[in-house]
Amino acid sequence: MNKPVDMTSVTPATFDVQAARADFPILSRTVYDKPLVYLDNAASAQKPAQVIEAMTNLMESGYANVHRGLHYLSNSATVKFEESRKTAARFINAAHDHEIIFTSGATDAINLVADSFCADIKPGDEIILSVMEHHSNIVPWHFLRERSGAVLKWVAMTDEGDLDLESYRRAFSPRTKIVALTHMSNALGTINPVKDLIAIAHQHGVPVLLDGCQAAVHVPVDVQDLDVDFYAFSGHKIYGPTGIGVLYGKSSLLNAMRPYRGGGEMIEQVSLEAVTYGSLPQKFEAGTPPIIEAIGLGAALEYVMGMDRAAIAAHEADLLVYATDRLRQMNAVRIFAATPHEKGSILSFNLEGAHPHDISTIIDRAGVAIRAGHHCAQPVMDRLNVTATARASFAMYNTRSEVDNFIEALEKARALLR
Amino acid sequence: MPNSDTIERLIDDFEILEDWEDRYRYVIELGKKLPPLDEALKNDQSKVTGCVSQVWLICDRSDGPPLTLSFRGTSDAHIVQGLIAILLRLYNDKTPQEIMSVNAGSLFHRLGLDEHLSPQRSNGLAAMVKRIRQDASRMAETA
């Protein structure tokens, strides 16, 4: 891309952020006549032209239902759909393509595990969760608790915003059935030492589900190296479409599980008396799948894998450090989980004397989009003893000059609220 | 400094405030002038759900005749507090029938603040209007 490079946005890494920006059509728009500064990436990321085109092209010239018709379009759509599965398998280094289950999102993926893997759970059996979880990795387990009498055990968080490892170790008992933890906190950015956490769980013979919604975007994920049992992530946070997510599960576990939903495409034989189920992955994909979205997700994952991910990580780390420093210089900011052992590009903070609602409403007028609220992680808010935080979250296409705009808008908000 | 006690005055004041910054500053000032709500009154009954910020709203009736209603409210967010102040001006000391006939949307549109009244916006203003109208409708039945 021969675009002029904004020198303020040049980072120590070699990542060409201006070239990446050019891939995202929405970034050239304005909001209230100001250039859009989109810092709400942890909620949902914007989409590159490659994803938009893959979905549009499919609808314009390649669309039909998959796995069914013996006609040209159905066959070619099926090939593309299954290519996306292969891409997702490659993205997280799954041993087999059939270990990739397409779901409607990470929420759906976690509900699937809570429902199907834990179908035979007994009253008093235990599930280990952490107070750092997003509600999508809490509420499905509350459902399970309500219907089965299972007990939820909570891993505590340190003041630095790390999982408390002692509390984690203590949480295990002979009745522990599964551990469900976030790989990277959506509210704080903390990246958990998941390989160690999984090893500890496996010493107790307990499988682990990781919520990878944030981590899949920012951290290389190798499910075989992690030896993780289930891994869930959504499409829309990793530059792909909404309505699609992935549940990775080890074949041995998925094969032993009952189907989650019944319907077309997941069966082998249906008669008036009985039904036999299909094999993986169709067993867990009842009904017409989100075909367009799955192919869009494949395009998004190809897009990310086509980039230098280490350079993206360095670029995002630079943005996080730069924004953290600039926020600190304001001298009236509380940063949450400022110093965990490892942190992704999420910055959760509060401005003295201002509610996050005020901040986000005011800086919105400067074209700056951040999130204010509990971030669907109310136990985290309780732990921090606040009702809400403001959260700026960075993606590959953000720049230092956007951080400058963000800080300038914050200064203005502070002046207004004084 | 806002000193507008009436809606008409509020509209006049807003007309001379052209940019969003001045309007927000004005709204924030209105909020600061709102009498504080006793901590004991901030409870689950008075809490309005569905807001990013915390909002409490109390309905007081004065038997008259005619029976009229007044509201007290507060929020932990400055802008929301100011929006509450505007709502109270719109709804206070009115009979339930008058309250039901108030068109808050049209006022917020005239003030250039209508984006805040959208039910999709999670600032709770729409939830507050709904609560006020529910209170009025209930009082009208018991009157």
Side-chain angles (χ1 to χ4, degrees):
Chain A
M1 308 285 163
N2 296 321
K3 285 199 122 193
V5 174
D6 173 5
M7 288 313 287
T8 58
S9 68
V10 171
T11 66
T14 52
F15 181 62
D16 185 350
V17 62
Q18 294 303 335
R21 288 182 72 78
D23 289 333
F24 291 79
I26 203 171
L27 297 180
S28 59
R29 72 156 287 168
T30 57
V31 172
Y32 300 117
D33 298 324
K34 305 280 182 357
L36 168 66
V37 176
Y38 188 77
L39 302 181
D40 195 17
N41 296 288
S44 206
Q46 299 298 346
K47 320 303 173 198
Q50 288 83 342
V51 169
I52 299 166
E53 278 161 20
M55 296 173 76
T56 308
N57 286 347
L58 180 76
M59 286 186 280
E60 284 179 352
S61 62
Y63 182 76
N65 210 330
V66 293
H67 301 139
R68 292 188 170 87
L70 288 170
H71 57 79
Y72 177 85
L73 281 179
S74 179
N75 287 335
S76 70
T78 304
V79 167
K80 284 197 182 107
F81 181 77
E82 290 303 324
E83 278 300 326
S84 283
R85 195 187 307 279
K86 291 191 174 85
T87 303
R90 202 152 35 88
F91 180 68
I92 56 172
N93 194 31
H96 308 286
D97 298 340
H98 62 249
E99 292 177 319
I100 300 294
I101 311 295
F102 283 133
T103 61
S104 71
T107 297
D108 191 34
I110 296 169
N111 274 280
L112 191 163
V113 175
D115 201 271
S116 183
F117 178 75
C118 298
D120 300 323
I121 206 155
K122 303 284 182 297
D125 284 348
E126 296 170 1
I127 317 291
I128 295 179
L129 307 171
S130 86
V131 299
M132 210 188 273
E133 303 310 311
H134 186 283
H135 292 167
S136 62
N137 196 25
I138 296 178
V139 181
W141 305 107
H142 270 305
F143 278 16
L144 179 64
R145 175 187 62 74
E146 285 170 352
R147 71 171 175 265
S148 71
V151 175
L152 307 185
K153 305 264 276 191
W154 297 94
V155 181
M157 190 174 88
T158 67
D159 291 338
E160 288 74 32
D162 280 309
L163 275 193
D164 181 333
L165 289 182
E166 270 316 299
S167 155
Y168 178 65
R169 284 200 182 86
R170 278 198 310 271
F172 287 89
S173 90
R175 300 211 59 178
T176 308
K177 291 297 172 215
I178 189 169
V179 170
L181 295 174
T182 185
H183 190 169
M184 170 174 158
S185 157
N186 73 301
L188 301 172
T190 304
I191 296 173
N192 287 318
V194 290
K195 198 171 176 180
D196 296 342
L197 298 173
I198 291 165
I200 292 169
H202 286 176
Q203 283 163 15
H204 293 274
V206 175
V208 176
L209 161 84
L210 290 182
D211 166 4
C213 283
Q214 301 296 336
V217 188
H218 303 287
V219 183
V221 176
D222 181 334
V223 292
Q224 293 187 73
D225 178 58
L226 290 174
D227 197 21
V228 67
D229 302 279
F230 297 103
Y231 198 92
F233 66 98
S234 56
H236 69 97
K237 288 186 167 74
I238 187 151
Y239 313 107
T242 52
I244 183 78
V246 165
L247 172 68
Y248 159 83
K250 286 179 180 167
S251 306
S252 54
L253 297 173
L254 291 174
N255 274 322
M257 283 157 60
R258 273 182 58 82
Y260 173 44
R261 292 194 174 118
E265 227 177 292
M266 48 78 71
I267 48 86
E268 190 180 72
Q269 288 290 328
V270 175
S271 72
L272 297 187
E273 291 79 30
V275 53
T276 53
Y277 306 121
S279 53
L280 291 178
Q282 275 77 30
K283 181 170 103 170
F284 291 107
E285 293 179 0
T288 293
I291 301 163
I292 303 160
E293 292 79 1
I295 288 166
L297 172 63
L301 298 179
E302 289 287 5
Y303 177 75
V304 171
M305 285 191 283
M307 300 241 169
D308 180 346
R309 292 198 74 193
I312 292 176
H315 170 65
E316 290 175 345
D318 173 71
L319 291 174
L320 179 66
V321 168
Y322 181 64
T324 305
D325 286 349
R326 295 231 39 202
L327 265 188
R328 282 217 173 94
Q329 284 160 17
M330 286 180 71
N331 279 330
V333 175
R334 179 177 171 201
I335 297 170
F336 300 102
T339 54
H341 280 100
E342 200 182 346
K343 184 169 169 167
S345 55
I346 286 176
L347 190 43
S348 206
F349 66 97
N350 273 346
L351 196 59
E352 225 168 69
H355 191 281
H357 179 284
D358 293 320
I359 298 169
S360 67
T361 304
I362 293 170
I363 73 175
D364 175 48
R365 286 287 173 163
V368 181
I370 63 163
R371 171 109 185 243
H374 54 58
H375 316 298
C376 298
Q378 282 177 334
V380 175
M381 301 297 111
D382 291 344
R383 171 65 178 83
L384 300 171
N385 208 13
V386 294
T387 55
T389 77
R391 181 187 70 184
S393 50
F394 307 100
M396 65 161 86
Y397 43 66
N398 291 124
T399 65
R400 276 192 176 212
S401 66
E402 287 184 311
V403 173
D404 292 336
N405 288 354
F406 160 58
I407 298 290
E408 193 186 315
L410 268 185
E411 294 280 14
K412 193 174 247 181
R414 182 162 67 159
L416 257 180
L417 292 162
R418 194 168 274 157
Chain B
M1 268 299 162
N3 56 359
S4 48
D5 295 333
T6 65
I7 289 300
E8 289 69 30
R9 182 66 193 270
L10 199 64
I11 292 167
D12 288 346
D13 284 353
F14 260 80
E15 265 165 14
I16 55 170
L17 301 173
E18 294 216 326
D19 70 6
W20 67 268
E21 215 171 307
D22 290 336
R23 287 184 172 184
Y24 276 155
R25 188 175 288 115
Y26 187 97
V27 169
I28 290 164
E29 287 299 327
L30 283 177
K32 285 184 178 163
K33 294 173 92 185
L34 208 59
L37 199 63
D38 195 344
E39 284 300 317
L41 294 173
K42 296 182 186 173
N43 52 40
D44 286 349
Q45 278 76 42
S46 61
K47 192 158 180 176
V48 180
T49 53
C51 324
V52 171
S53 62
Q54 301 193 87
V55 173
W56 295 270
L57 203 60
I58 307 251
C59 174
D60 301 311
R61 63 183 274 174
S62 146
D63 282 330
L67 180 150
T68 58
L69 301 182
S70 279
F71 297 86
R72 286 175 287 161
T74 193
S75 168
D76 57 351
H78 294 293
I79 291 173
V80 178
Q81 174 108 333
L83 297 173
I84 293 173
I86 296 174
L87 278 185
L88 298 195
R89 255 174 218 171
L90 201 53
Y91 286 109
N92 272 357
D93 302 317
K94 287 200 163 59
T95 66
Q97 290 74 16
E98 285 168 337
I99 287 172
M100 296 308 283
S101 66
V102 166
N103 185 343
S106 124
L107 173 77
F108 276 78
H109 181 71
R110 289 183 69 183
L111 298 180
L113 294 170
D114 41 343
E115 66 192 68
H116 294 283
L117 204 56
S118 138
Q120 286 76 36
R121 189 120 180 164
S122 52
N123 62 17
L125 197 64
M128 279 184 267
V129 170
K130 196 174 160 197
R131 166 77 77 95
I132 289 172
R133 292 176 65 90
Q134 276 169 352
D135 284 346
S137 141
R138 203 176 54 241
M139 296 289 181
E141 281 166 21
T142 61

